[in-house]
Amino acid sequence: MWFFNKTCTSKTCLDGKTVVITGASDGIGKETARDLYARGARVILACRNMEKANKAVEDIKNNPPSRFSSEYKNNAGELAIYLLDLCSLKSVRDCAKNLLTNEAAIHILVNNAGVAAYPNKKTEDGNQMTLQVNHLGHFLLTLLLLPKMQKSSPNCRIINVSSIVHIFADIDFDDINLERSYAPFKSYTQTKLANILFTKELAHRLKTANIHGINVYSLHPGIIPTKISQYSSSTIFPGATLCFNLFAQLLYKDAKQGAQTTIYCCIDEEIANETGLYYSNCGVTTPYRKANQHEYPEKLWNVSCRLLHLEPEEDFTTFLENVSRQML
């Protein structure tokens, strides 16, 4: 349904800006990187597969977005690759340490990477794989990069890629790893709800701590046939991946179209003073059901800290200092 798809029309240039995008070697992450690179940004692809990331860099350099094609070579920014495996919290800390050491500033962080319908496996850190990749890893990465973003402000943004499937989700905070009741779809939907709740709570804590110049956004990119659904046939039912991709084709959002709301949240001037909100189709909208439970964001924050062996201090600045010590 291409006629319902909105495009980010902002002409914002990103000269001198540094952007970190997780999972940018494929899908909407790569298309987001392509667009922001064309606007002059230094775009960092934070990925676990270096071979795919290198191929993505070559593709981005050689294939500009259509609207930027005429001036692409002259106005494009820079591309860099950092190793990030969200399955490993050590890898998250190492990536953050490398970014903080090597990058002069970080202006935009796009928490894009994710898995769906993943088999019931635990990471080396003891967390359910989908929970750690889609939420906990990004939670920790964001906290570790926040001090650098404070120094890079104003006009810094954190974007958490969620999904409309959060409407099906609830979170059992006593069993967030789903050890008693694992189901692939349930695991995925709760992490997409977690992305929205994290956005709300982080925005609240930044405001309470009087930290300005960093805004936080969550979004639904659309129903898109990407590799995120590759495990569905083995974990949900045979042929589920094909069914999902056929359904996605009917709704007709390809990766380029699916990246538009992410790009919008990264650069649109009109939402520069908005924070903690949820977006779809290049506009703010209201999330559903449990995303509006007033006690859920703080509950998720506290459970996430516990799983990461962090003490959720009342003073946010002290809390960030304690988180940073994890890299030492």
Side-chain angles (χ1 to χ4, degrees), residues 231-244:
Y231 303 104
S232 303
S233 292
S234 60
T235 59
I236 298 179
F237 61 83
T241 301
L242 176 62
C243 290
F244 173 82

Side-chain angles (χ1 to χ4, degrees), residues 182-306:
Y182 181 81
F185 186 68
K186 179 180 181 181
S187 176
Y188 179 62
T189 59
Q190 81 158 4
T191 62
K192 295 295 102 180
L193 173 58
N195 297 148
I196 298 172
L197 299 176
F198 173 43
T199 299
K200 288 187 171 189
E201 186 64 12
L202 180 57
H204 169 71
R205 289 180 183 252
L206 288 169
K207 182 179 179 181
T208 302
N210 207 30
I211 297 173
H212 303 290
I214 304 175
N215 292 345
V216 196
Y217 308 82
S218 63
L219 65 98
H220 166 56
I223 307 298
I224 305 154
T226 68
K227 291 183 179 179
I228 195 170
S229 63
Q230 62 186 305
Y231 303 104
S232 303
S233 292
S234 60
T235 59
I236 298 179
F237 61 83
T241 301
L242 176 62
C243 290
F244 173 82
N245 288 340
L246 288 173
F247 178 68
Q249 290 290 352
L250 289 174
L251 295 179
Y252 201 71
K253 270 201 177 186
D254 58 22
K256 178 183 174 182
Q257 292 165 334
Q260 294 305 306
T261 304
T262 302
I263 296 165
Y264 175 83
C265 289
C266 286
I267 64 171
D268 189 79
E269 302 91 336
E270 293 183 5
I271 64 170
N273 296 317
E274 297 176 359
T275 189
L277 302 180
Y278 173 72
Y279 298 78
S280 179
N281 219 15
C282 295
V284 68
T285 190
T286 303
Y288 296 86
R289 298 180 66 244
K290 299 298 182 178
N292 299 312
Q293 293 282 100
H294 73 276
E295 75 277 12
Y296 268 36
E298 184 178 8
K299 277 189 172 183
L300 177 69
W301 185 278
N302 291 336
V303 169
S304 301
C305 286
R306 176 173 55 80

Side-chain angles (χ1 to χ4, degrees), residues 63-297:
N63 297 288
S66 56
R67 62 182 293 192
F68 294 102
S69 56
S70 60
E71 68 276 17
Y72 193 59
K73 294 294 184 182
N74 293 329
N75 296 342
E78 300 175 356
L79 293 167
I81 300 170
Y82 280 67
L83 177 64
L84 171 66
D85 184 354
L86 291 161
C87 299
S88 164
L89 296 179
K90 181 183 184 302
S91 176
V92 173
R93 295 185 186 99
D94 289 345
C95 179
K97 188 173 184 178
N98 289 333
L99 287 166
L100 296 175
T101 300
N102 299 327
E103 300 299 326
I106 297 173
H107 301 96
I108 300 172
L109 170 62
V110 184
N111 291 319
N112 164 81
V115 294
Y118 201 83
N120 188 15
K121 294 182 179 179
K122 285 195 172 184
T123 67
E124 63 186 37
D125 306 287
N127 300 303
Q128 203 282 321
M129 186 71 73
T130 305
L131 177 69
Q132 182 163 316
V133 171
N134 292 3
H135 167 60
L136 278 178
H138 285 133
F139 182 92
L140 178 59
L141 180 67
T142 302
L143 296 179
L144 291 170
L145 296 184
L146 267 174
K148 175 74 78 174
M149 297 188 78
Q150 278 183 262
K151 294 176 182 177
S152 309
S153 66
N155 303 320
C156 291
R157 304 190 187 194
I158 298 167
I159 293 90
N160 296 314
V161 179
S162 179
S163 169
I164 197 171
V165 300
H166 78 271
I167 66 176
F168 302 109
D170 196 357
I171 298 179
D172 182 349
F173 294 101
D174 294 322
D175 186 31
I176 197 167
N177 273 306
L178 301 180
E179 293 175 335
R180 296 192 295 267
S181 58
Y182 181 81
F185 186 68
K186 179 180 181 181
S187 176
Y188 179 62
T189 59
Q190 81 158 4
T191 62
K192 295 295 102 180
L193 173 58
N195 297 148
I196 298 172
L197 299 176
F198 173 43
T199 299
K200 288 187 171 189
E201 186 64 12
L202 180 57
H204 169 71
R205 289 180 183 252
L206 288 169
K207 182 179 179 181
T208 302
N210 207 30
I211 297 173
H212 303 290
I214 304 175
N215 292 345
V216 196
Y217 308 82
S218 63
L219 65 98
H220 166 56
I223 307 298
I224 305 154
T226 68
K227 291 183 179 179
I228 195 170
S229 63
Q230 62 186 305
Y231 303 104
S232 303
S233 292
S234 60
T235 59
I236 298 179
F237 61 83
T241 301
L242 176 62
C243 290
F244 173 82
N245 288 340
L246 288 173
F247 178 68
Q249 290 290 352
L250 289 174
L251 295 179
Y252 201 71
K253 270 201 177 186
D254 58 22
K256 178 183 174 182
Q257 292 165 334
Q260 294 305 306
T261 304
T262 302
I263 296 165
Y264 175 83
C265 289
C266 286
I267 64 171
D268 189 79
E269 302 91 336
E270 293 183 5
I271 64 170
N273 296 317
E274 297 176 359
T275 189
L277 302 180
Y278 173 72
Y279 298 78
S280 179
N281 219 15
C282 295
V284 68
T285 190
T286 303
Y288 296 86
R289 298 180 66 244
K290 299 298 182 178
N292 299 312
Q293 293 282 100
H294 73 276
E295 75 277 12
Y296 268 36

